[in-house]
Amino acid sequence: ETGVTQTPRHLVMGMTNKKSLKCEQHLGHNAMYWYKQSAKKPLELMFVYNFKEQTENNSVPSRFSPECPNSSHLFLHLHTLQPEDSALYLCASSPRWDTGYEQYFGPGTRLTVT
Amino acid sequence: SQQGEEDPQALSIQEGENATMNCSYKTSINNLQWYRQNSGRGLVHLILIRSNEREKHSGRLRVTLDTSKKSSSLLITASRAADTASYFCATGVTGTASKLTFGTGTRLQVTL
């Protein structure tokens, strides 16, 4: 593993449920990211946090709500999701918010919306 | 869009052979990264190459970058079954719009 953990690893939820995904990094990085990976599609950047401040919201629907209480933790709160939101959700971190640094990914949460 | 597009989409080779994957993109970039993903897992960083570099090596990996053609290639030499994975290129620009844009990946299958 790369020092980035995600829980849960698998999640099945109904369209009316509320759930949260958690990401934690032990690398001392200052930037954290949420990505969505759907079958046959490129990895989609959802949110970027730099020093706990949100710097990117890539036109993500409001049913996804991120939270970054500190530089080590990142949450993705889910509410009233749609079946098309089923995907692998990946968290990543990097030393700084700059593409000149490699990103370290967690193992992902496989989300199924029924 | 500066999205990278990998070619081929899928590649099947035998152990010991070399594997070459290509990535093309559309707009100017500051750097390009290659990542590997085993089935259903997170991505693992392989190599980062900057726009002023033409070639980089890491173990059995060799990456080239041709900014005039807006393309990059990843060569894996003497492949092993453990190299079976999906490989993604990600293009990056720095500054206020800093973000990586990933391609759809090449699925590599290495058989014994």
Side-chain angles (χ1 to χ4, degrees), chain B residues 47-111:
Chain B
I47 286 185
L48 182 152
I49 187 165
R50 303 187 191 282
S51 59
N52 61 351
E53 298 174 309
R54 291 296 168 259
E55 187 172 312
K56 286 191 84 169
H57 297 256
S58 177
R60 295 183 295 111
L61 306 180
R62 171 177 169 256
V63 167
T64 62
L65 179 63
D66 187 336
T67 54
S68 66
K69 295 182 179 179
K70 292 186 171 58
S71 68
S72 174
S73 68
L74 170 67
L75 169 67
I76 303 174
T77 60
S79 62
R80 306 166 181 168
D83 295 327
T84 295
S86 292
Y87 292 82
F88 298 88
C89 70
T91 53
V93 293
T94 55
T96 56
S98 179
K99 69 176 183 180
L100 285 179
T101 304
F102 286 80
T104 52
T106 292
R107 174 69 187 166
L108 174 65
Q109 177 76 41
V110 182
T111 57

Side-chain angles (χ1 to χ4, degrees), chain A residues 25 27-33 50-51 93-98 100-104:
Chain A
Q25 57 98 359
L27 302 169
H29 290 169
N30 295 310
M32 296 188 77
Y33 312 80
N50 188 42
F51 290 95
S93 70
S94 62
R96 290 176 56 184
W97 175 48
D98 189 294
Y101 295 88
E102 63 185 88
Q103 293 187 11
Y104 293 76

Side-chain angles (χ1 to χ4, degrees), chain A residues 5 8-9 24 26 35 41 51 55 59 71 78 95 101 107 111:
Chain A
T5 59
R9 295 291 304 275
E24 185 173 358
H26 308 276
Y35 287 91
K41 289 185 178 181
F51 290 95
T55 55
S59 302
S71 293
L78 314 173
Y101 295 88
L111 173 67

Side-chain angles (χ1 to χ4, degrees), chain A residues 1-2 9 35 37 40-43 45 56 58 88 90 97-108 110, chain B residues 3 30-31 33 35 37 40-45 48 50 88 92-100 102-104:
Chain A
E1 297 297 334
T2 59
R9 295 291 304 275
Y35 287 91
Q37 187 176 35
K40 309 286 186 182
K41 289 185 178 181
L43 207 62
L45 178 65
E56 178 90 14
N58 205 22
L88 182 67
L90 293 163
W97 175 48
D98 189 294
T99 62
Y101 295 88
E102 63 185 88
Q103 293 187 11
Y104 293 76
F105 283 80
R110 174 68 62 185
Chain B
Q3 178 184 28
N30 296 107
N31 51 70
Q33 303 187 32
Y35 287 81
Q37 183 180 34
R41 305 295 299 276
L43 279 70
V44 175
H45 181 265
L48 182 152
R50 303 187 191 282
F88 298 88
V93 293
T94 55
T96 56
S98 179
K99 69 176 183 180
L100 285 179
F102 286 80
T104 52

